[in-house]
Amino acid sequence: MDNSLAIHPDQYAGSGGTGGHWTDIGEVRTYRREGRIIRLSCAGGEVAIRFYTEKIARVVMNPAGEPELGWNPHVLVLEPEDVQIKAAESEHEIELATGGLTVRIRKSPLRISFYDAEGREFAADGERGMGSGPRGEVACIRRTGDSDRFYGFGEKAGFLNKRGEKLTMWNTDVYAPHNPETDPLYVSIPFYLTVRDDGRASGLFFFNTFRTTFDLRGGTEHSFLAEGGQLDYFVFAGPTPKDVIAQYSSLTGRAPLPPRWALGYHQSRYSYETEAEVRELVATFKEKGIPLDVVYLDIHYMDGYRVFTFDKGRFPNPRKLIEDLRAEGIRVVPIVDPGVKADPAYRVFSEGVRHGRFCRYLDGQLFYGQVWPERSAFPDFTDASVREWWGDLHSFYTELGIEGVWNDMNEPSVFNESKTMDLDVVHQNDGRPATHRELHNVYGSLMSGATYEGLKRLLGGKRPFVLTRSAYAGIQRHAAVWTGDNRSFWEHLELCVPMCLNLGLSGVPLCGADVGGFAHDSNGELLARWTQLGALMPYFRNHSELKSIRQEPWSFGAGTEEIVRRYVKLRYRWLPYLYGLFEEASRTGLPIMRPLLLEYPDDHHALAVNDQFLLGTDVLVAPVVRPGQTKRMVYLPAGAWVDYWTDERLEGGRHVIVDAPLDKLPLFVREGAIVPLASERMSTETEAEELALHLYPSTAGLPSEYALYEDDGRTFSYAEGGVYEERIRATPSSPNRLDVDIRVVRDGYVPGWQRRTLVIHRAPAGLQVFLNGSELTLESRTGGTATYRL
Ligand code: GLC
């Protein structure tokens, strides 16, 4: 624990930052074009500029030599396009324009500013611009506009807008409570969006894997700094927040469709320690009628914490267990940490040592660190042959019927003072050796990438699922991210909303927090509220710590159990809508769970909302995040909204106070929306019998549209046309007539529903509904809700 020594004046000396012996990039001495790359030789270093698209530019400054643009530790996936650049040089300036983005370079000293397609400046160097420090630091100082708000930055505690904060990227295992100031955490995504008052947005990705710091505290300037390497950044011209995310995710990749089972309800505990305990757990879910897709095996399943083993006493027959659970529609996901126990009699270790798979110092000595299995070696995932070896080791699991793996401790976490691997370990890095100091932040991502690719090779066409704690930019291509060791605090319930929203803005759609809280002790009310929220977050897992009170759905009595059951079931009902959003994310990079600012960037009230979110464009979730609260204020953006529970219509563009008794999650559907909901089921393994299209007709007579997407949810056949898609359009032709058109546009997959209905909310009495021209007969009517068979 820190005491006041932490703020002793001496602690501030040499604490980094951009002070000290700073070398400004200085004046431009020569300027030349080499194909598509613009090179500037400056007093304080060399600079290269390259356009990747008309709206994405890369700036690289190397204080010590020619900028290197080729190195890529599996982060970038975009090849530069052949962009036409109009270049103009005058005495004081160089201008590079693509039509979508203009880069203006002042020559003496070099200062860069960026303009959008309409000629508006959206980002610019400050009084000081790029430069380098005495210990190899590189930094860039930029102007901060009066109304600039900063979002993204991956996994960070605190509220959505990071203006006023100083944030560090250095993947760290933080068991201590995640306070608003607790930084860094497990994930480094050095990307941010700037959103201005008028809703215009731009973005920046600082492509540097060293420890980096973003200082957003100043009123007029902000900066980003890395402890080493090049100053290498990408600029995204926007101009909307959605454009920026599309641009960033085109650069670092998009998430493939997860297997549908990864979107069901997951139950975890550190640990379900024996086969009998797992069987009892699953039986209880069944007996209590609570749907379940996955049970996690935490570290106790292993033989002395050796990865790729089972403890024979605790789990005498894992194959049978996995098979039996599978027959109930439930999958098992085991934890796999990077630390490999240093035990010469253990095959993974001895083979790894023999073939040079582990991290070493320059002199060839292995690096050992203490983790759960005590003295352990760590695979060097920066090398292709190690990634392949590691991936192949997963046949141990896949042969038992396992299709998903949970990567933990992959910062990597080590039980020592620095909390991680020694910084002077030299990684092989695919033939470009580099220290751990440089590659620390990508270690976890490379491990999860190796795991995903290995599982993909082994699963014969099935989609793998990988969950990771540590990550770098681009992780979305391989794994889901959960926010690590939170606690059963109401504050942490509140915190996980902006945290996951910023993760989503940073390209990671499949993310979530431990529902109920990991450390500390949960309670019925907290679990009820957290499950309500988790049910509509992208990733939904209840997980808790060894010594904490149990927090399975039934742990706090019948009242809580009933609420938890109701919301786990709600999750399964909402899967078609959620799955559609995952499909969209796989194409566009847009998050599932969206801050209001993404859809309403020029609405000042929307920009300030931290405790509500949108699912896609049409659904608004306003969780209760305080104990004892039975009402809450909700901000409804412009338009009209319908209360999901009561069908009450509420005019938007204002704050409302809504009732939220303990069994109610405030939930609203945008008027005019179509939301596909499925009938209940006990796991995603069984098909939903019914699919209902819920229509909330526009009272302004506007048509409603929705593209319904389905595929098998298990394989990659969607990439080869195994897709069902229909376009639905419902037009209120007159107050009493609704014309619905359903057109199948892709039929490479046949959905398993046996029954389809159209459910019209707030339907006027006497409404006539026509489907592709023929009148439908009313099947049933409850209050204002009319149901038709399709
Ligand atoms: C770490 C993980 C946690 C896990 C525990 C034991 O603390 O964050 O989720 O349960 O290790 O493996």
Side-chain angles (χ1 to χ4, degrees):
M1 241 344 125
D2 280 347
N3 59 14
S4 301
L5 182 62
I7 49 172
H8 187 286
D10 290 351
Q11 303 289 347
Y12 292 94
S15 62
T18 49
H21 309 284
W22 193 246
T23 307
D24 191 279
I25 186 65
E27 61 171 13
V28 178
R29 290 179 176 157
T30 63
Y31 152 64
R32 66 184 199 282
R33 274 181 78 164
E34 247 177 47
R36 301 272 169 225
I37 302 175
I38 287 88
R39 294 196 183 271
L40 305 158
S41 190
C42 307
E46 303 293 315
V47 175
I49 299 176
R50 165 143 223 191
F51 288 89
Y52 273 55
T53 72
E54 285 200 343
K55 292 193 170 172
I56 304 178
R58 180 180 191 180
V59 177
V60 188
M61 186 273 280
N62 185 343
E66 274 300 319
E68 186 186 348
L69 281 82
W71 180 61
N72 176 18
H74 301 270
V75 175
L76 309 178
V77 296
L78 184 69
E79 287 299 324
E81 289 171 9
D82 194 12
V83 181
Q84 296 301 315
I85 308 162
K86 274 223 299 255
E89 187 180 7
S90 65
E91 193 188 340
H92 300 296
E93 269 191 8
I94 300 164
E95 192 178 280
L96 309 167
T98 66
L101 167 62
T102 300
V103 178
R104 202 166 286 158
I105 302 155
R106 200 177 81 199
K107 287 186 185 167
S108 188
L110 180 147
R111 295 291 180 263
I112 307 182
S113 44
F114 300 88
Y115 298 79
D116 67 13
E118 272 129 68
R120 265 176 296 234
E121 183 188 279
F122 66 82
D125 286 346
E127 281 290 303
R128 292 184 295 165
M130 299 192 282
S132 54
R135 290 175 296 269
E137 306 93 325
V138 288
C140 182
I141 300 169
R142 301 180 115 202
R143 283 214 290 273
T144 304
D146 284 347
S147 72
D148 285 2
R149 294 162 170 89
F150 301 118
Y151 305 98
F153 302 101
E155 179 190 71
K156 294 290 173 198
F159 292 116
L160 265 181
N161 177 6
K162 297 304 182 196
R163 185 160 179 170
E165 304 290 329
K166 187 174 176 192
L167 303 169
T168 297
M169 303 290 168
W170 183 254
N171 295 353
T172 308
D173 172 3
V174 186
Y175 177 72
H178 300 172
N179 293 321
E181 61 167 6
T182 308
D183 180 65
L185 293 174
Y186 316 85
V187 171
S188 292
I189 305 184
F191 162 74
Y192 66 97
L193 286 117
T194 305
V195 184
R196 298 200 157 153
D197 252 357
D198 58 3
R200 291 191 167 262
S202 61
L204 184 136
F205 172 50
F206 186 16
F207 182 36
N208 182 307
T209 60
F210 284 84
R211 181 194 290 266
T212 56
T213 306
F214 291 82
D215 193 341
L216 312 164
R217 295 175 300 177
T220 55
E221 288 185 337
H222 65 282
S223 66
F224 49 95
L225 173 144
E227 286 191 352
Q230 308 186 118
L231 185 85
D232 184 347
Y233 68 90
F234 288 83
V235 164
F236 309 101
T240 68
K242 282 186 174 176
D243 293 332
V244 176
I245 293 172
Q247 289 152 8
Y248 168 73
S249 63
S250 73
L251 184 72
T252 59
R254 292 170 182 147
L257 271 168
R260 207 188 314 269
W261 59 265
L263 307 182
Y265 176 71
H266 296 194
Q267 184 65 48
S268 186
R269 168 90 182 164
Y270 167 31
S271 299
Y272 296 120
E273 294 190 21
T274 62
E275 172 174 335
E277 202 182 346
V278 172
R279 286 187 186 275
E280 194 193 321
L281 177 85
V282 167
T284 314
F285 268 92
K286 198 169 174 196
E287 177 199 313
K288 295 194 172 285
I290 302 170
L292 175 67
D293 258 87
V294 181
V295 175
Y296 285 71
L297 297 183
D298 207 322
I299 53 175
H300 287 89
Y301 80 87
M302 293 178 268
D303 170 16
Y305 311 121
R306 289 168 184 81
V307 285
F308 310 102
T309 67
F310 270 93
D311 180 302
K312 293 207 170 59
R314 293 169 185 267
F315 288 86
N317 194 347
R319 183 182 306 279
K320 182 82 172 66
L321 173 70
I322 289 158
E323 201 180 288
D324 291 351
L325 260 54
R326 191 54 189 281
E328 306 277 350
I330 295 158
R331 284 171 168 81
V332 168
V333 170
I335 196 167
V336 178
D337 294 349
V340 172
K341 188 174 177 71
D343 166 6
Y346 165 40
R347 189 178 56 90
V348 180
F349 177 72
S350 57
E351 210 181 273
V353 172
R354 227 175 301 121
H355 295 110
R357 308 289 192 212
F358 295 119
C359 296
R360 293 164 186 275
Y361 296 98
L362 187 60
D363 62 5
Q365 296 289 313
L366 284 189
F367 167 79
Y368 288 107
Q370 294 283 325
V371 265
W372 309 121
E374 299 182 327
R375 192 162 187 256
S376 301
F378 292 79
D380 189 357
F381 297 112
T382 67
D383 190 73
S385 65
V386 177
R387 290 193 294 274
E388 204 176 313
W389 168 67
W390 189 259
D392 289 347
L393 284 172
H394 288 76
S395 62
F396 173 79
Y397 298 112
T398 56
E399 278 166 15
L400 295 171
I402 285 169
E403 297 168 29
V405 160
W406 168 21
N407 285 162
D408 187 28
M409 305 287 279
N410 52 343
E411 294 71 27
S413 173
V414 179
F415 301 152
N416 62 15
E417 207 163 304
S418 78
K419 292 178 152 197
T420 194
M421 188 176 284
D422 290 352
L423 302 188
D424 51 355
V425 159
V426 180
H427 293 287
Q428 301 176 54
N429 196 25
D430 291 336
R432 177 194 174 276
T435 58
H436 190 67
R437 190 164 166 259
E438 177 167 2
L439 296 178
H440 172 79
N441 282 339
V442 287
Y443 187 86
S445 266
L446 291 171
M447 174 184 186
S448 292
T451 305
Y452 181 86
E453 293 301 336
L455 289 174
K456 195 172 174 188
R457 284 195 299 279
L458 292 161
L459 284 174
K462 284 194 220 141
R463 300 177 205 172
F465 170 66
V466 179
L467 174 68
T468 184
R469 190 171 73 176
S470 178
Y472 187 76
I475 188 63
Q476 62 272 10
R477 302 195 310 275
H478 300 127
V481 173
W482 102 101
T483 57
D485 295 345
N486 65 2
R487 297 198 173 197
S488 300
F489 295 164
W490 287 92
E491 290 80 356
H492 281 191
L493 167 59
E494 181 180 19
L495 180 70
C496 77
V497 175
M499 230 168 146
C500 290
L501 287 173
N502 270 329
L503 261 170
L505 292 177
S506 309
V508 185
L510 186 48
C511 58
D514 285 345
V515 167
F518 175 69
H520 197 63
D521 299 309
S522 204
N523 61 67
E525 188 186 357
L526 182 62
L527 183 68
R529 289 303 194 190
W530 213 321
T531 307
Q532 290 173 354
L533 169 62
L536 290 177
M537 283 185 52
Y539 173 65
F540 185 23
R541 180 182 74 155
N542 174 321
H543 180 50
S544 58
E545 188 191 39
L546 194 58
K547 295 271 179 319
S548 65
I549 195 169
R550 309 287 305 203
Q551 63 184 43
E552 287 79 14
W554 48 85
S555 302
F556 301 104
T560 305
E561 183 187 319
E562 183 47 41
I563 296 170
V564 171
R565 181 186 301 104
R566 182 167 174 198
Y567 282 88
V568 174
K569 285 185 169 180
L570 178 115
R571 167 66 164 212
Y572 284 79
R573 295 200 61 218
W574 277 74
L575 277 178
Y577 182 69
L578 292 171
Y579 195 63
L581 292 175
F582 276 98
E583 193 278 328
E584 184 183 353
S586 73
R587 280 183 290 112
T588 63
L590 288 175
I592 313 302
M593 178 182 174
R594 303 179 184 172
L596 272 51
L597 71 96
L598 201 58
E599 300 294 335
Y600 304 90
D602 53 2
D603 173 343
H604 293 205
H605 292 295
L607 286 172
V609 175
N610 288 281
D611 60 353
Q612 298 175 207
F613 59 93
L614 294 159
L615 285 174
T617 53
D618 293 339
V619 175
L620 187 139
V621 185
V624 172
V625 294
R626 280 288 176 265
Q629 240 182 35
T630 52
K631 288 184 184 290
R632 72 154 281 176
M633 185 168 72
V634 177
Y635 178 65
L636 297 171
W641 297 83
V642 179
D643 183 315
Y644 173 74
W645 304 105
T646 63
D647 266 0
E648 185 191 353
R649 180 179 184 278
L650 297 158
E651 208 53 64
R654 65 190 178 120
H655 293 85
V656 293
I657 292 177
V658 300
D659 282 327
L662 187 56
D663 62 355
K664 185 178 161 193
L665 166 73
L667 185 58
F668 305 86
V669 181
R670 196 179 56 76
E671 186 182 271
I674 297 173
V675 178
L677 301 181
S679 51
E680 288 174 7
R681 50 188 163 154
M682 292 305 285
S683 94
T684 62
E685 197 58 18
T686 30
E687 297 280 357
E689 273 176 29
E690 179 178 334
L691 184 92
L693 295 173
H694 286 256
L695 168 65
Y696 295 82
S698 149
T699 45
L702 301 170
S704 300
E705 285 180 9
Y706 185 73
L708 177 69
Y709 175 90
E710 273 295 333
D711 61 27
D712 68 10
R714 300 153 193 259
T715 71
F716 289 94
S717 66
Y718 68 88
E720 270 110 51
V723 163
Y724 177 81
E725 186 187 335
E726 64 179 36
R727 301 276 165 83
I728 304 147
R729 190 180 160 91
T731 316
S733 315
S734 71
N736 279 322
R737 178 179 169 131
L738 187 75
D739 278 288
V740 181
D741 282 301
I742 299 187
R743 218 158 30 87
V744 177
V745 290
R746 290 196 279 175
D747 61 359
Y749 171 74
V750 182
W753 324 302
Q754 284 155 39
R755 203 180 121 81
R756 293 195 57 184
T757 50
L758 174 67
V759 181
I760 303 174
H761 294 259
R762 304 179 58 81
L767 177 73
Q768 283 183 297
V769 180
F770 292 82
L771 172 67
N772 298 341
S774 317
E775 188 167 0
L776 293 175
T777 354
L778 182 70
E779 188 175 88
S780 65
R781 190 176 174 105
T782 329
T785 306
T787 302
Y788 299 81
R789 185 94 182 237
L790 287 180

